[in-house]
């Protein structure tokens, strides 16, 4: 039988500063009513001046350590999902390794935008399932405020900053842990959701700054339609190939980009309100961090009990999308 991996510890960090819809009303031509009804967002957290993605992830790890007694020196691998690394290199994983004192770990960053957590978890599961490593830390951290144009109402209302970490370890009990996963990608999505400036295509220059190329660009309507269909399709495919239906799901934690996208997925999966976790109202879209933030919130609210079937699903830039199914194993 396949060795199984499971989540054995979790932690989160959200910066103190809150940017509400009412604050945004004073910055761009928008309204609390428009943002709430079109997206489900009421407020988002914004990193302090100088606070970078590695800092937020390190704070999330401190939260994990407060909750679970984990020795950082036992961590074998650190995988970081982020599109807002502190810098191109060294990797955010290296910076986190140094910050938290995980001196025996190697690691790397992966760039899969909003699907980053699902992608990173698939790699973590593989590293544990094949018996190579015992403790893999997955950190999802995005400081979206650093690539958001706060004069552009199309995007500035949508994003927030946060980090969350989970520890993946082998499980002794075959009834628990990660059951299956699916990841997908369609590079034709490159034209609809991107940040063009600063890379090797358009290295940083006065021109890239003048043209605001270091900010997120999104064609919202196109992304919206695909997010609804792909997130639901991949979730249904994963459930079906494991002989489950929506009725078997204990908790669905979808990527939180827009409450209307979540509602449409919930309808396609035929889930009831009590089966889905929605926290977009207080955090907005924190890119890679949305699903693990949802895991911590669900756990803290007593909505994740050992044996519950947890379905996670995401869609984002690339386009990338994917889903993971697990039997929750962590006691409260
Ligand atoms: O996580 C990565 C994946 N990202 C997503 O999944 C996001 C997907 N897209 C979306 O969530 C939605 O498309 C948005 C929330 C971005 C936009 O919602 P929408 O219902 O698609 O609005 P729209 O772009 O069609 O705009 C409708 C109207 C427009 O005005 P007109 O042309 O009808 O007069 C916009 O100019 O709303 C206007 N508008 C706004 N009004 C007030 C756009 N943004 C705003 C705003 N405040 N912030």
């Amino acid at each position: 039988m396949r060795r199984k991996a499971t989540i054995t510890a979790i932690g989160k960090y959200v910066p103190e500063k809150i940017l509400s819809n009412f604050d945004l009303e004073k910055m761009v031509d928008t309204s609390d009513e428009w943002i709430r009804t079109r997206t489900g967002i009421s407020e988002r957290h914004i990193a302090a001046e100088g606070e970078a993605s590695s800092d937020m992830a390190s704070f999330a790890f401190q939260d994990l350590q407060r909750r679970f007694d984990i020795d950082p020196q036992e961590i074998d691998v650190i995988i970081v999902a982020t599109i807002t690394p502190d810098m191109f290199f060294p990797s955010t994983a290296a910076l986190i390794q140094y910050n938290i004192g995980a001196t025996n770990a190697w690691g790397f960053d992966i760039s899969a935008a909003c699907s980053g957590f699902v992608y990173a978890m698939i790699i973590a599961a593989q590293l544990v399932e094949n018996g190579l490593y015992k403790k893999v830390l997955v950190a999802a951290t995005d400081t979206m405020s650093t690539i958001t144009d706060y004069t552009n109402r199309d995007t500035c209302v949508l994003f927030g900053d946060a980090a969350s970490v989970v520890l993946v370890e082998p499980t002794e009990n075959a009834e628990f842990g990660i059951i299956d996963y699916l990841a997908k990608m369609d590079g034709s999505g490159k034209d609809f959701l991107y940040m063009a400036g600063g890379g090797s295509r358009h290295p940083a220059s006065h021109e890239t700054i003048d043209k605001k190329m270091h900010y997120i660009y999104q064609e919202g309507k196109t992304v919206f339609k695909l997010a609804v269909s792909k997130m639901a399709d991949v979730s249904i495919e994963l459930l079906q190939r494991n002989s489950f239906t929506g009725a078997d799901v204990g908790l669905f934690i979808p990527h939180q980009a827009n409450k209307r996208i979540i509602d449409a997925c919930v309808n396609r999966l035929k889930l009831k309100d009590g089966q889905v976790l929605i926290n977009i109202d207080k955090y907005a879209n924190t890119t890679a961090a949305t699903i693990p933030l949802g895991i911590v919130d669900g756990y803290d609210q007593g909505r994740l009990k050992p044996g519950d079937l947890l379905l996670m699903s995401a869609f984002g830039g690339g386009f990338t999308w994917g889903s993971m199914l697990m039997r929750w194993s962590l006691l409260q």
Side-chain angles (χ1 to χ4, degrees):
M1 208 177 75
R2 195 184 88 191
R3 185 194 309 260
K4 283 179 81 178
T6 195
I7 292 175
T8 56
I10 56 178
K12 74 168 185 183
Y13 172 76
V14 283
E16 220 174 278
K17 185 179 164 191
I18 290 176
L19 184 67
S20 71
N21 291 350
F22 298 105
D23 296 327
L24 283 163
E25 281 182 354
K26 296 176 201 132
M27 295 159 69
V28 287
D29 180 16
T30 190
S31 67
D32 170 61
E33 211 262 331
W34 190 96
I35 303 170
R36 270 190 299 102
T37 53
R38 303 310 292 164
T39 71
I41 300 165
S42 295
E43 58 188 33
R44 68 283 296 137
H45 292 249
I46 302 294
E49 186 82 32
E51 194 171 43
S53 293
S54 72
D55 302 320
M56 294 205 301
S58 305
F59 292 140
F61 182 75
Q62 283 172 11
D63 179 48
L64 177 148
Q65 273 189 305
R66 273 193 296 272
R67 295 160 175 266
F68 307 89
D69 190 19
I70 302 293
D71 177 357
Q73 298 202 348
E74 285 180 10
I75 296 171
D76 299 308
V77 189
I78 300 171
I79 306 175
V80 182
T82 186
I83 52 163
T84 50
D86 292 29
M87 36 191 144
F88 268 160
F89 71 91
S91 69
T92 314
L95 304 174
I96 295 170
Q97 186 243 27
Y98 177 76
N99 282 351
I100 67 173
T103 45
N104 295 310
W106 64 281
F108 53 93
D109 295 2
I110 63 155
S111 169
C114 300
S115 311
F117 179 72
V118 174
Y119 272 39
M121 284 295 289
I122 292 174
I123 301 165
Q126 289 280 329
L127 292 177
V128 168
E129 286 166 6
N130 68 21
L132 276 177
Y133 298 100
K134 289 215 166 69
K135 281 188 167 60
V136 180
L137 184 74
V138 172
T141 180
D142 269 309
T143 319
M144 297 306 290
S145 61
T146 60
I147 58 167
T148 298
D149 177 1
Y150 286 97
T151 65
N152 179 356
R153 72 176 185 176
D154 292 343
T155 50
C156 76
V157 302
L158 302 174
F159 297 98
D161 301 336
S164 194
V165 293
V166 309
L167 191 67
V168 179
E169 290 187 78
T171 171
E172 308 290 316
N173 190 336
E175 283 172 32
F176 294 129
I178 295 166
I179 298 167
D180 200 5
Y181 31 77
L182 269 169
K184 313 234 177 192
M185 186 161 73
D186 177 358
S188 67
K190 66 183 171 52
D191 298 328
F192 304 102
L193 181 50
Y194 58 79
M195 189 188 91
S200 54
R201 177 76 57 198
H202 301 287
S205 67
H206 290 295
E207 196 194 343
T208 61
I209 302 285
D210 290 345
K211 289 185 172 168
K212 298 190 167 192
M213 290 165 76
H214 300 266
Y215 292 130
I216 306 159
Y217 171 83
Q218 172 170 251
E219 282 186 28
K221 269 197 189 324
T222 307
V223 179
F224 185 100
K225 280 188 209 138
L226 279 163
V228 170
S229 65
K230 299 296 185 190
M231 245 164 70
D233 287 348
V234 76
S235 302
I236 291 167
E237 186 182 344
L238 191 64
L239 285 171
Q240 278 178 352
R241 82 175 190 188
N242 289 279
S243 307
F244 292 119
T245 69
D248 298 306
V249 173
L251 193 62
F252 175 46
I253 305 187
H255 172 53
Q256 315 271 318
N258 188 318
K259 182 165 183 298
R260 290 184 294 133
I261 295 176
I262 298 172
D263 290 344
C265 281
V266 163
N267 277 340
R268 285 262 327 265
L269 291 166
K270 299 192 177 65
L271 302 178
K272 301 196 177 75
D273 285 353
Q275 286 174 285
V276 58
L277 187 137
I278 300 177
N279 59 10
I280 190 171
D281 49 323
K282 47 184 183 163
Y283 304 130
N285 181 353
T286 57
T287 303
T290 58
I291 293 177
L293 265 186
I295 292 177
V296 178
D297 281 2
Y299 177 80
D300 286 346
Q301 292 160 12
R303 296 180 69 188
L304 276 173
K305 301 256 163 45
D308 283 352
L309 191 65
L310 169 61
L311 175 68
M312 303 167 252
S313 202
F315 180 88
F319 294 123
T320 55
W321 64 105
S323 227
M324 177 168 270
L325 201 52
M326 72 176 288
R327 285 253 179 237
W328 188 252
S329 57
L330 200 50
L331 272 169
Q332 285 218 293

